[in-house]
Amino acid sequence: MSSILWFDQLGMADLPAVGGKNASLGEMVSHLSAAGVSVPGGFATTADAYREFLAEGGLRERIAAAIAEVDVEDVAALTHAGTQIRAWVEEQPFPAELESSIRTAYERLTAEHPGASFAVRSSATAEDLPDASFAGQQETFLNVAGIDNVLAAIRSVFASLYNDRAIAYRAHHGFDHDEVALSAGIQKMVRSDVGAAGVMFTVDTESGFENAVFITSSYGLGEAVVQGAVNPDEFYVSKVALRAGRPAVLKRSVGEKAIAMRYTDAREAGASTRFEDVPASERRRFSIDDADLVELARQALIIEEHYGRPMDIEWGKDGIDGRLYILQARPETVVSRVEAGVIRRFVLGARGEVATAGRAIGQRIGAGPARVLRSLDQMAEFQPGEVLVADMTDPDWEPIMKRASAIITNRGGRTCHAAIIARELGIPAVVGTGDATATLADGDEVTVSCAEGDTGFVYRGILPFEEEVTRLDSMPEAPVKIMMNVGTPDQAFSFSRLPHRGVGLARLEFIINRQIGIHPRALLEFDALEGELRDRVADATAAYDAPRDFFVRRVAEGVSMIAAAFWPEPVIVRLSDFKSNEYANLVGGELYEPHEENPMLGYRGASRYISPDFRACFDMECEALRFVRDEMGFTNVQVMVPFVRTVGEGHAVVELLAENGLRRGENDLKVIMMCELPSNALLADQFLQFFDGFSIGSNDMTQLTLGLDRDSGLVASTFDERDPAVLRLLSMAIAACRAAGKYVGICGQGPSDHPDLAEWLVAEGIESVSLNPDTVVETWLRLSKAGGTSGQNASGTPATGTSSLSASPA
């Protein structure tokens, strides 16, 4: 076989000849270019050429003897052996035929791309397999030019097969050192040094959700993202919307992007790149736009469909020609190995003082004493079970990472090295904290929680936690539709893996609070703001075209994340139900909100929407929901109106929705009303003239029926959704909906807290019960066991049953 093969001559069948990385590049160049996947060209040295290189002067035998004597658990011995072996390889001359072939191929490549520089990439024959990532095990050198520099970089790539981390990794995964060979890929550089680059996965890296592409991006060369040197921008793109040709960006998050990897004037390996500070104004903006995201996701889908499995893809945007290129593609190796039909959830028993926070990796919880390491020279200090705390990690850290109970870093995003290895090891990691090495000290006992959404928390002290395991293949049929209350979009993908029939309550105020945090009028009236408030709003909205656009887009992102996670099941989105005191807590809120003695009974819900003072704010909510439904195509989103005091108010809000393009019945839109005031149940038939059904809010219904403040500790003991008076009203509401042939469900806290109430509701004929996610499985099993013939079955057919609760006074 030739010692040199061009990418357009290669495919995955050539993995034994050129390793996983180069075989995959060849596969894409050969088979996907016509489909629109852009991969820079180049050539690869073969595994046979590498073996011939090692055969010179008995080098192979010397390496084998040195490795045979090494205990990979002995960090010092491993370091000594690796250093010696790499020196031998670096000093080894190329066989004459191999060097001649490289020189000839390089001449052809430079003739095709005059003035270009090149990446010299490593590709091991056991690399990028479906069951092993080998993430960053060998070296890659960027911006290399000149044949002598290229030859030196290839020799360094060959030597990197014996990095300490690579030797240890092969030993731990049972790969024979002598059976693994190396290929060097020489590929034209994409000028992302003056553009942007990053990593994308065709599956959500945390939850395993398969209908979204996860993309990270930062300015400059993508190696900074892979290393974890920067906290990049993060995005999700819906596969469902993308395939339908609709707007598909589900979520945008601005990363810090404090530095960028750029070219230097040098072109030899190891000196050809450097980090530069990114101007503050650029950090606050997105590094790529929506058109780039859609094009990247489109190419990612083509690659995934070709390979038939989730993929991990590196990409770059050329700042000179403006085009997007795929630089590498390998099988995703962690989420795709998760046992099918089994959900494992870690649940924190109590929360404590937060020491630091960052991006959550792994959806797990770990605990132990902290060990702060500032360099690899301290590796020998690390003890098994400790929590590794570092500025960032690279593959040289792997011998100790596998001993850690958790990992915390100052820098990095969800596709950085620390994140990839933590997932592979099955341990939690909190990356991109910014201050972990300053906040934590050796010996500090900490609990690392990555089970609370996108944000990972590092709590002081060892806190209780447990792992819950659910086998979905053993779930019985429920006698009623079991839906979920989803508070934040961050956890929607994870929650969608639980058994469900959709979302019975998605609270818009949660999205506004978490993803916006600014009073909507402060955004609408930005030009009138002054001083520090104006600066805060300007800084928060800098990545968007205007403050109003920030509100609409961010609300749409939050709703679409939930809608995509649960598609095509219904997602009932409740319009914002902030009270005046809660709105006042948003940035700028004190300028616009009245002071009320009892906000619970004041300016909220339907009354607020139809108020002239709030009309423009309500219009923005409607615009966001309309975009999600009509533009993105998530028609599973239904609208729910809270706290409707009178029939007239209900009618007015429905008319207002229609004026904003949310007209009942159009594009399958259903408008549901929260049934949470006694008046709603007493006049249910009249309210139902304007709505498609009720969703019972048992919390407000209880406090307004019993005349007590549920937030007051003085009367808290009296609060009980099972009080006969409350049950009487609930029974009336359910009966009215069933008589009118309209939807009726419950989304209050009661069924989650009181399983007997859930059973009573089923017996009354409730259509759906929407529960907090942590109670879904337990309540599902209880209802299936207690009332298989009660209420309604999963298809909605009425049935009968009994319950110990009664709507009449005892």
Side-chain angles (χ1 to χ4, degrees), residues 232-397:
D233 299 332
E234 295 183 355
F235 309 91
Y236 283 101
V237 179
S238 164
K239 294 180 183 178
V240 172
L242 187 68
R243 291 185 176 116
R246 293 178 174 273
V249 181
L250 297 173
K251 183 179 181 181
R252 306 164 182 84
S253 299
V254 180
E256 186 182 13
K257 305 185 299 295
I259 55 176
M261 183 179 280
R262 312 286 194 192
Y263 284 2
T264 67
D265 293 334
R267 292 295 182 267
E268 67 269 18
S272 58
T273 62
R274 65 168 176 254
F275 283 110
E276 296 180 359
D277 290 339
V278 173
S281 60
E282 292 298 310
R283 298 180 193 184
R284 294 195 297 268
R285 300 195 64 82
F286 293 119
S287 50
I288 53 175
D289 60 22
D290 282 9
D292 293 330
L293 292 169
V294 169
E295 174 60 19
L296 284 171
R298 186 191 68 80
Q299 294 196 40
L301 281 188
I302 294 170
I303 295 168
E304 180 183 54
E305 289 166 3
H306 179 78
Y307 283 90
R309 60 174 297 113
M311 298 295 289
D312 168 359
I313 302 165
E314 292 183 27
W315 62 272
K317 180 176 182 177
D318 194 307
I320 305 299
D321 66 21
R323 294 180 59 193
L324 294 160
Y325 295 88
I326 302 302
L327 307 180
Q328 296 184 43
R330 61 180 71 87
E332 191 282 328
T333 60
V334 178
V335 176
S336 54
R337 286 187 289 170
V338 173
E339 184 180 357
V342 176
I343 297 176
R344 299 179 182 275
R345 293 183 64 234
F346 281 73
V347 180
L348 194 65
R351 289 174 174 80
E353 177 190 348
V354 176
T356 189
R359 300 294 282 151
I361 306 299
Q363 296 189 328
R364 293 170 175 263
I365 301 174
R371 176 68 65 179
V372 181
L373 300 187
R374 290 177 169 80
S375 77
L376 285 174
D377 295 338
Q378 299 174 273
M379 286 177 65
E381 301 173 13
F382 194 85
Q383 300 301 312
E386 292 182 328
V387 174
L388 173 60
V389 183
D391 181 51
M392 56 181 276
T393 69
D394 61 37
D396 288 327
W397 292 73

Side-chain angles (χ1 to χ4, degrees), residues 146-229:
I147 184 58
D148 291 336
N149 289 332
V150 168
L151 288 168
I154 292 172
R155 191 178 285 106
S156 295
V157 162
F158 286 177
S160 72
L161 189 63
Y162 299 98
N163 282 330
D164 300 353
R165 73 248 187 175
I167 296 171
Y169 191 92
R170 290 193 295 271
H172 290 305
H173 286 77
F175 289 94
D176 188 332
H177 298 282
D178 198 47
E179 292 300 316
V180 180
L182 204 63
S183 164
I186 292 80
Q187 183 182 35
K188 175 185 175 294
M189 284 290 295
V190 170
R191 290 300 307 273
S192 57
D193 64 304
V194 290
V199 180
M200 57 182 172
F201 287 81
T202 61
V203 63
D204 180 41
T205 55
E206 304 310 307
S207 66
F209 181 73
E210 296 181 346
N211 273 330
V213 178
F214 174 57
I215 301 173
T216 63
S217 172
S218 191
Y219 301 117
L221 300 173
E223 188 67 14
V225 177
V226 175
Q227 289 178 2

